[in-house]
Amino acid sequence: MDIAIVGAGISGSNVLKSLITHPNFQADDLIDVYEPRHSLGSGLPYEPTDDESIMLNTSSDVLSVDENNELDFTEWLEHHFKEPTNFEQLVSRPHYGKYLVERFSPFYTHEQVHHVQNTVVDVEVLDAATKEPADDTQDGNFVYRIKTEDGWQDSVYDAVFFSVGHPEYNDFYDLKGTENYIHNPYPMKEKLANFDNNQKISVVGSGATGVDLMRFFMSNYELEQPLTFYDLKEPFYCVAIPYEKDDFTYHLTKNWVEEQKEVHGGFIPLQVILDTIKDDLKQENAEPMAVYNRYKSGTLDVFRKAFDMKDQELAAVQKYAANSVPNLPHLYNALSGEDQQEYMKNYYQIMLFFKTKVPYYSYQWLFELIDAGKVETVAGLKEVNVLENGRFQFVTEDSEAEADIVVNATGFINNIEILTKHSELIKNLFHRRLIMPHVNGKFILVDWPQCRVLNQQYGRMDNLFFLGLLIGGTQHENNDAGQTIQQAQYTAKAFMDER
């Protein structure tokens, strides 16, 4: 069997490992890994050579790539570093990248694995019997041919796993290509290395990338003017409050999901999930809607109050949301169609508020920087204009300001039509009707939980898989490294189980 893996980041590497270690992997199987970079195993967000100031916002005990030892990464850190965490009590992204490269190296050097150092731009579907281009009259038994920037490859693959990593960053203000605008700041050690301390630097966006940028600039520069973060709404997510109790009531496990699906005929009513959440949190003396209403304004002032008092009711709801992260896709896909719509309309933003947060000690640093005048935040961004002198003008609801350098931190494109303008691969897959949007033009439609590509041209494509952020409509809220690892392992194992 010949297999292609497109992408050698955290997702593709876990696919590779799971294929090779599966008992059904055979001596004549061959795996081609298509990855234009020299570095294999880590992916761009975890580049081992990037700046040590860039931190993981996730606990090390959920980032193991060893399915038999959930503490493998934690133990690796303790073995390699006397002080594995920084003053924020976080682990650096380059540390994680080194771990990934080390753990996956034996699989990339395996004699049945070949690294094709090129970028994939197209895939052709062939009939397995004739090796001729397939059409919608075929019986569903397909094989695949891959085109790179060098042209069509000779190999014909029985299965293809797309593990292409992060899609393109948004460019809401049409600045890409403009001098002194940094569209994708990673790797930061390379992209952000040559600024002057007297230059005015502004950041558009304040999510996880924005926090990384704060860390990098404050660790590597002595800026004479405040590093300024602009956002449409209030900058930065809610502060993560450490929960001080050891025990915790939580029922929404994967086993609970399966049990409730049996009880309710295949779907779980949304109200059952909401009632379970409410009952669980009642045991922790927390009422989620009261907490949400207390902090939903999202201002730094209310977050500072939560920080100062270490609000344990907020901490309980955040811990509940954190426990739910691995199961969010299972919960979402257990809802009926109408309940999915109800959830997205009335509860999704609430869930997102508690799920997305900035670590406690990172916020402590942020508050100190704001108080010292080294960082400032501005809400209500309307326009970013390029002036004749090459500087940038920021227009908000009630102010205007200028900057010499603009760094983008606005998040990733998930609209497929827009993404076709930035990715040759997505453009061609969409043109061939191999991929289709899931909902409202966003994400790529796959089945669950195997993540096999679905389309109107060929139906369910049993040996064509898509993983990563672009399947976020099915793998709901899958922007977590732990989820990426687990899903890649599951998809590869399920494929090999059916061999």
Side-chain angles (χ1 to χ4, degrees):
M1 183 166 58
D2 289 351
I3 300 171
I5 301 174
V6 182
I10 190 171
S11 180
S13 300
N14 276 282
V15 167
L16 177 66
K17 178 189 175 190
S18 297
L19 293 174
I20 292 176
T21 57
H22 196 281
N24 289 341
F25 188 71
Q26 298 176 10
D28 59 348
D29 290 337
L30 297 175
I31 302 175
D32 286 343
V33 180
Y34 288 84
E35 171 57 62
R37 299 178 305 121
H38 288 286
S39 179
L40 301 175
S42 60
L44 196 59
Y46 312 109
E47 185 63 50
T49 58
D50 209 346
D51 195 83
E52 292 288 343
S53 67
I54 306 169
M55 296 290 141
L56 296 167
N57 291 325
T58 306
S59 173
S60 63
D61 59 6
V62 297
L63 293 175
S64 168
V65 298
D66 185 346
E67 57 269 38
N68 298 314
N69 180 12
E70 63 181 12
L71 296 179
D72 184 59
F73 178 44
T74 301
E75 293 168 358
W76 182 91
L77 284 169
E78 293 172 350
H79 177 74
H80 285 81
F81 301 98
K82 290 183 179 180
E83 296 183 5
T85 61
N86 75 337
F87 66 92
E88 300 170 80
Q89 299 183 8
L90 301 174
V91 178
S92 80
R93 289 177 183 266
H95 282 6
Y96 190 50
K98 291 169 186 173
Y99 162 76
L100 294 172
V101 169
E102 180 178 312
R103 286 295 186 257
F104 290 127
S105 178
F107 304 101
Y108 283 108
T109 57
H110 193 282
E111 62 182 0
Q112 292 167 252
V113 176
H114 176 225
H115 174 206
V116 183
Q117 195 172 349
N118 213 321
T119 299
V120 173
V121 298
D122 202 355
V123 172
E124 185 178 35
V125 183
L126 307 177
D127 179 75
T130 66
K131 304 299 187 292
E132 295 294 325
D135 57 37
D136 55 0
T137 65
Q138 304 303 319
D139 61 3
N141 190 12
F142 304 126
V143 290
Y144 307 93
R145 197 156 64 104
I146 281 177
K147 183 180 182 182
T148 69
E149 291 178 335
D150 288 342
W152 288 103
Q153 303 299 294
D154 294 330
S155 298
V156 174
Y157 297 103
D158 301 289
V160 177
F161 293 82
F162 286 108
S163 305
V164 294
H166 293 303
E168 181 80 1
Y169 272 87
N170 285 297
D171 183 20
F172 292 124
Y173 304 97
D174 296 322
L175 299 174
K176 189 175 181 181
T178 304
E179 187 177 1
N180 293 325
Y181 168 71
I182 313 300
H183 181 65
N184 180 349
Y186 296 99
M188 292 188 179
K189 194 172 184 179
E190 172 187 325
K191 299 282 190 70
L192 309 177
N194 298 310
F195 300 145
D196 294 328
N197 283 319
N198 63 357
Q199 290 179 301
K200 174 62 178 176
I201 301 174
S202 294
V203 178
V204 183
S206 57
T209 301
V211 177
D212 266 352
L213 289 167
M214 178 197 81
R215 293 172 177 134
F216 180 86
F217 281 115
M218 293 301 107
S219 299
N220 292 281
Y221 287 90
E222 292 291 338
L223 298 177
E224 296 175 10
Q225 302 179 69
L227 178 67
T228 305
F229 289 87
Y230 287 90
D231 216 319
L232 293 173
K233 299 180 180 178
E234 294 293 335
F236 294 104
Y237 297 130
C238 186
V239 55
I241 305 297
Y243 195 54
E244 296 175 348
K245 284 178 57 180
D246 292 330
D247 57 334
F248 193 77
T249 306
Y250 183 81
H251 281 97
L252 300 186
T253 63
K254 190 174 179 181
N255 287 338
W256 181 90
V257 170
E258 295 306 317
E259 291 169 359
Q260 292 298 313
K261 284 168 65 176
E262 287 188 17
V263 170
H264 297 284
F267 294 114
I268 306 176
L270 177 60
Q271 193 58 51
V272 170
I273 296 175
L274 296 175
D275 289 343
T276 302
I277 294 171
K278 186 175 181 179
D279 290 344
D280 282 351
L281 285 170
K282 188 176 181 180
Q283 302 302 311
E284 308 303 321
N285 298 314
E287 204 291 299
M289 287 308 302
V291 178
Y292 177 70
N293 289 328
R294 188 152 69 239
Y295 296 109
K296 68 180 181 181
S297 66
T299 66
L300 289 178
D301 286 341
V302 300
F303 293 160
R304 193 185 287 257
K305 291 177 181 177
F307 176 90
D308 290 340
M309 67 184 292
K310 287 191 176 181
D311 187 340
Q312 288 302 288
E313 193 176 8
L314 172 59
V317 184
Q318 287 179 331
K319 182 175 176 63
Y320 201 93
N323 285 359
S324 300
V325 164
N327 296 321
L328 281 175
H330 301 286
L331 289 162
Y332 180 77
N333 284 285
L335 296 174
S336 66
E338 58 268 29
D339 273 351
Q340 285 185 345
Q341 290 185 329
E342 172 75 8
Y343 159 75
M344 292 300 296
K345 180 180 178 181
N346 295 318
Y347 298 99
Y348 172 66
Q349 290 299 326
I350 298 172
M351 181 280 298
L352 210 59
F353 179 85
F354 292 118
K355 171 182 173 286
T356 51
K357 50 194 182 294
V358 178
Y360 183 81
Y361 292 104
S362 306
Y363 244 113
Q364 183 178 46
W365 189 15
L366 175 61
F367 287 140
E368 291 171 354
L369 292 169
I370 291 173
D371 292 344
K374 295 182 178 181
V375 167
E376 64 180 6
T377 64
V378 182
L381 181 61
K382 294 294 185 183
E383 301 175 18
V384 183
N385 302 311
V386 182
L387 302 176
E388 290 184 0
N389 61 6
R391 301 192 85 212
F392 299 87
Q393 178 193 54
F394 287 81
V395 180
T396 68
E397 294 173 345
D398 52 15
S399 67
E400 293 183 4
E402 295 185 13
D404 299 299
I405 306 291
V406 175
V407 187
N408 185 32
T410 57
F412 305 107
I413 300 171
N414 56 28
N415 182 287
I416 301 305
E417 183 178 357
I418 296 174
L419 199 56
T420 61
K421 298 177 176 62
H422 301 275
S423 167
E424 188 72 14
L425 174 62
I426 298 301
K427 174 184 175 181
N428 288 324
L429 293 180
F430 186 64
H431 172 76
R432 292 180 180 276
R433 294 199 293 167
L434 271 178
I435 59 172
M436 57 187 298
H438 183 173
V439 59
N440 297 327
K442 298 178 180 179
F443 304 114
I444 291 171
L445 183 63
V446 297
D447 75 340
W448 183 256
Q450 286 89 344
C451 299
R452 295 169 290 200
V453 171
L454 300 173
N455 57 59
Q456 293 176 337
Q457 180 81 349
Y458 304 105
R460 189 185 75 187
M461 310 194 75
D462 288 342
N463 293 341
L464 188 67
F465 304 89
F466 218 106
L467 299 163
L469 292 182
L470 282 177
I471 62 166
T474 301
Q475 193 188 1
H476 184 59
E477 280 301 296
N478 64 338
N479 56 352
D480 172 83
Q483 280 184 292
T484 300
I485 293 167
Q486 292 176 17
Q487 188 58 48
Q489 292 175 350
Y490 177 88
T491 295
K493 181 179 183 300
F495 167 72
M496 295 298 284
D497 285 345
E498 295 177 1
R499 183 172 184 175

